[in-house]
């Protein structure tokens, strides 16, 4: 629904590509979301730990949601577009046509998702080199980053994909290329997921050491030799073809993109919280951590000087907030883990039917059910005999061990809704304990964190928020604008338009 207030002079479009859906928002110059829409996208899982998507499917969804949010708006008032997306790997040939990243030869499945763990042996080989670039990813590269995926393609799809490939894009950069026809990469993507450094660029010795010396040719054309800061204007703006696809005017500004978690961090970490007596009030932004909670979770903390945190990615200069160093902790499965545990329980059909009868979501119903059975003690004490180790998809931070598996201790023979509610609660508590472990590791390395700022889908779950406050012992701030990631993407478009002098001013 569009605002009934007098229309502001200027609008910006933020487009967010998550793991399972694409969302768009029309945001006014005051940071208010005027309209938003979403569209699911496909995920293929051809074998365990292989997750693939289609760049054509993703772009089609971007076009659909954008047309919805700008419908009925004076096009002359739309000033800029910003994209954010998951840090998935997109592969196209020299004519920019999709190339299969699978043995089946299905070209439309040309995206290896961020959560894909196929490159286990490749990441072990890369980490064994102990190359100096690894110091910027917590000392150990993650299987979710791009170099191990590139090495997997070379070793497993040499003729069908590697030799035919023209360009390898991080998904956010693919979207800005699709919109502008310019192959420039965002500093955010190449620094955080590809080993580019903001002071030295690409390190030839790293790519040669891991067996990907092919990429050094032609000045790194295949992975990017033109790097822009997030929010910087790309090329000459929207091409006529992309403008028609998106339902926007040709030529409007398109911003260099951000990874989705970084857009969420940008959308919340600078929030004005005066008057709430929070410990971060009148403190620098470095006292805050932005936590973006969705399919996975990311913990974003900034510092004025580089802080090397064992098992935590970074420090990355200007990767989220210009002029500040970023450290990024994370959990590979949070929303996905909660869904997995709840939907796999024998009482799930009963939960579904009772939630439907009460016209509530399954998680709202579970939260209410826990309140019913908690008796006199706080809800957190219900799981005194039930414990979950949450690393069902390995540990991203701070243990950096992708071989770790999940565990549940304290199961009984109970098969009812009470037992389902308890294991749901224990899973959320385990995720919150993982957050505490990350924060403690960051603080031991030199961060001074006193307040959490949450956004993303899980931040809408009051139990998830409360357990994080209880278990970390830190106040949790929720944005008044729940679509913080979309606001972050729109901030990029506002910056690219020239209407604001910098990202900091936009924020």
């Amino acid at each position: 629904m569009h605002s009934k207030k007098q229309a502001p002079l200027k609008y910006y479009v933020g487009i967010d590509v998550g793991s399972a859906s694409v969302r768009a928002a029309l945001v006014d110059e005051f940071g208010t979301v005027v309209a938003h829409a979403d569209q699911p996208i496909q995920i293929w899982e051809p074998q365990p730990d292989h997750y693939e998507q289609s760049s054509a499917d993703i772009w089609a969804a971007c076009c659909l949601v954008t047309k919805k949010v700008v419908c009925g708006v004076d096009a002359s008032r739309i000033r800029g577009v910003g994209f954010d997306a998951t840090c998935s790997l997109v592969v196209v040939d020299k004519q920019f046509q999709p190339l299969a990243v699978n043995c089946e030869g299905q070209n439309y499945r040309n995206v290896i998702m961020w959560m894909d763990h196929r490159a286990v042996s490749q990441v072990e080989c890369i980490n064994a080199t102990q190359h100096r670039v690894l110091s910027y990813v917590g000392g150990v590269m993650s299987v979710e980053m791009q170099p191990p995926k590139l090495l997997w393609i070379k070793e497993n799809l040499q003729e069908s994909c590697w030799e035919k490939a023209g360009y390898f894009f991080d998904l956010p950069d693919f979207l800005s290329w699709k919109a502008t026809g310019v192959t420039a990469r965002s500093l955010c993507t190449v620094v955080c997921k590809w080993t580019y450094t903001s002071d030295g660029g690409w390190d030839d010795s790293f790519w040669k050491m891991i067996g990907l010396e092919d990429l050094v040719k032609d000045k790194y054309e295949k992975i990017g030799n033109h790097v822009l800061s997030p929010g910087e204007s790309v090329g000459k703006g929207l091409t006529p073809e992309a403008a028609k696809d998106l339902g926007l005017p040709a030529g409007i500004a398109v911003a260099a993109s951000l990874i989705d978690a970084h857009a969420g961090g940008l959308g919340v970490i600078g929030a004005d919280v005066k008057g709430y007596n929070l410990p971060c009030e009148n403190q620098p932004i470095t006292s805050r951590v932005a936590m973006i909670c969705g399919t996975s979770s990311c913990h974003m903390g900034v510092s004025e000087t580089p802080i090397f945190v064992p098992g935590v990615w970074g420090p990355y200069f200007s990767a989220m907030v210009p002029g500040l160093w970023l450290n990024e902790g994370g959990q590979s499965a949070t929303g996905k883990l909660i869904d997995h545990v709840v939907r796999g329980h024998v009482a799930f059909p009963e939960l579904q039917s009772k939630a439907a009868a009460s016209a509530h979501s399954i998680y709202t119903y579970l939260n209410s059910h826990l309140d019913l059975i908690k008796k006199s003690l706080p809800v957190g004490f219900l799981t005194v005999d039930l414990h979950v180790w949450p690393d069902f998809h390995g540990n991203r931070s701070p243990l950096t061990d992708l071989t770790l598996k999940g565990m549940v201790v304290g199961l009984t023979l109970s098969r009812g809704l009470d037992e389902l509610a308890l294991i749901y609660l224990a899973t959320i508590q385990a995720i919150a304990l993982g957050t505490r472990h990350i924060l403690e590791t960051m603080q031991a390395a030199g961060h001074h964190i006193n307040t959490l700022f949450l956004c993303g889908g899980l931040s809408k779950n009051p139990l998830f928020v409360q357990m994080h406050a209880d278990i970390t012992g830190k106040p949790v701030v929720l944005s008044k604008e729940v679509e913080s990631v979309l606001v972050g993407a729109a901030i990029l478009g506002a910056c690219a338009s020239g209407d604001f002098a910098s990202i900091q001013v936009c924020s």
Side-chain angles (χ1 to χ4, degrees):
M1 298 272 309
H2 293 292
S3 171
K4 294 179 181 177
K5 298 183 297 184
Q6 183 177 359
L9 292 176
K10 298 167 184 172
Y11 292 112
Y12 310 93
V13 176
I15 301 171
D16 163 50
V17 179
S19 299
S21 66
V22 174
R23 303 181 307 147
L26 186 68
V27 180
D28 69 22
E29 60 194 287
F30 306 110
T32 304
V33 174
V34 178
H36 65 91
D38 62 88
Q39 174 72 17
I41 49 178
Q42 287 187 275
I43 298 174
W44 288 269
E45 188 180 358
Q47 53 185 291
D49 289 332
H50 287 228
Y51 295 93
E52 298 169 6
Q53 290 185 311
S54 160
S55 63
D57 178 53
I58 291 168
W59 180 250
C62 290
C63 298
L64 187 68
V65 292
T66 302
K67 284 178 176 175
K68 284 183 180 178
V69 300
V70 302
C71 183
V73 175
D74 181 352
S76 67
R77 291 182 172 174
I78 301 172
R79 301 274 299 156
V81 182
F83 292 95
D84 73 77
T86 64
C87 48
S88 300
L89 178 68
V90 184
V91 186
V92 296
D93 65 18
K94 294 175 178 63
Q95 287 74 45
F96 296 96
Q97 296 303 305
L99 273 178
V101 294
N102 47 74
C103 299
E104 296 87 356
Q106 301 288 340
N107 282 332
Y108 61 92
R109 284 162 38 201
N110 67 319
V111 181
I112 300 180
M113 288 188 72
W114 64 269
M115 62 183 180
D116 186 287
H117 279 197
R118 70 182 66 185
V120 172
S121 64
Q122 287 76 20
V123 80
E124 288 172 351
C125 291
I126 292 170
N127 286 328
T129 67
Q130 298 185 330
H131 194 279
R132 59 180 174 270
V133 299
L134 300 180
S135 64
Y136 286 91
V137 290
V140 181
M141 179 166 285
S142 168
V143 72
E144 295 173 8
M145 293 179 174
Q146 309 302 9
K149 291 173 182 167
L150 293 168
L151 188 55
W152 184 93
I153 291 172
K154 182 174 183 178
E155 292 179 356
N156 292 274
L157 304 173
Q158 173 87 30
E159 294 182 6
S160 63
C161 183
W162 184 258
E163 292 177 358
K164 295 179 181 178
Y167 301 90
F168 299 100
F169 287 104
D170 216 280
L171 180 54
D173 295 325
F174 169 83
L175 296 172
S176 62
W177 164 76
K178 192 74 176 170
T180 65
V182 175
T183 60
R185 308 311 206 271
S186 166
L187 183 68
C188 174
T189 60
V190 292
V191 164
C192 294
K193 306 299 173 187
W194 296 72
T195 73
Y196 189 92
T197 58
S198 42
D199 54 351
W202 298 116
D203 189 317
D204 294 2
S205 66
F206 170 71
W207 298 101
K208 291 173 182 177
M209 187 177 287
I210 67 170
L212 294 179
E213 62 282 347
D214 331 36
L215 298 177
V216 181
K217 297 175 182 175
D218 300 318
K219 298 180 180 178
Y220 292 95
E221 184 181 13
K222 287 187 177 182
I223 61 173
N225 51 23
H226 181 201
V227 177
L228 300 174
S229 296
E232 199 172 338
S233 183
V234 181
K236 297 179 180 179
L238 272 185
T239 65
E241 182 183 4
K244 184 178 179 182
D245 287 348
L246 293 164
L248 293 170
I252 66 169
V254 176
S257 55
L258 281 171
I259 299 167
D260 55 348
H262 300 61
L266 183 65
V268 298
I269 201 167
D272 180 2
V273 292
K274 289 178 182 174
Y276 293 94
N277 199 30
L278 289 165
C280 65
E281 188 172 344
N282 300 318
Q283 296 293 312
I285 196 174
T286 53
S287 66
R288 308 174 177 194
V289 158
M291 186 174 165
I292 299 84
C293 327
T295 304
S296 64
S297 289
C298 297
H299 309 71
M300 322 291 278
V302 292
S303 58
E304 293 183 356
T305 57
I307 299 175
F308 292 84
V309 186
V312 172
W313 298 342
Y316 303 131
F317 186 65
S318 291
M320 185 174 78
V321 180
L324 294 178
W325 294 84
L326 170 70
N327 282 109
E328 179 185 350
Q331 292 159 285
S332 295
T334 50
K336 185 174 179 64
L337 174 63
I338 295 167
D339 269 354
H340 175 79
V341 168
V342 170
R343 294 177 183 276
H345 196 277
V346 68
F348 180 67
E350 179 187 355
L351 169 64
Q352 269 188 309
S353 61
K354 288 188 173 180
S358 67
H360 287 121
S361 74
I362 58 174
Y363 294 116
T364 299
Y365 189 88
L366 280 173
N367 293 350
S368 300
H369 192 77
L370 286 166
D371 282 335
L372 287 175
I373 63 177
K374 72 179 183 182
K375 299 178 182 174
S376 59
L377 290 172
V379 69
F381 287 88
L382 284 169
T383 51
V384 66
D385 295 321
L386 182 62
H387 310 286
V388 172
W389 182 267
D391 295 328
F392 286 44
H393 201 49
N395 182 285
R396 186 190 295 170
S397 304
L399 301 178
T400 63
D401 187 345
L402 60 89
T403 69
L404 285 177
K405 303 293 187 288
M407 186 189 314
V408 182
V409 177
L411 291 174
T412 70
L413 293 175
S414 173
R415 296 163 56 86
L417 199 52
D418 285 4
E419 182 72 16
L420 171 51
L422 291 178
I423 197 167
Y424 159 70
L425 171 60
T427 302
I428 287 177
Q429 290 172 324
I431 292 166
L433 285 161
T435 293
R436 188 171 89 176
H437 193 190
I438 291 166
L439 296 179
E440 288 173 348
T441 304
M442 292 175 70
Q443 289 175 145
H447 282 275
H448 301 283
I449 300 159
N450 57 35
T451 311
L452 294 182
F453 287 68
L454 263 62
C455 68
L458 288 174
S459 70
K460 300 170 188 175
N461 183 332
L463 182 69
F464 185 90
V465 175
Q466 189 62 57
M467 288 302 104
H468 273 76
D470 291 350
I471 286 170
T472 65
K474 299 185 188 299
V476 172
V477 178
L478 299 179
S479 173
K480 184 177 179 181
E481 177 50 70
V482 296
E483 302 296 349
S484 301
V485 179
L486 285 167
V487 171
I491 284 172
L492 297 174
C495 188
S497 72
D499 293 340
F500 297 84
S502 68
I503 280 180
Q504 286 95 325
V505 172
C506 294
S507 304

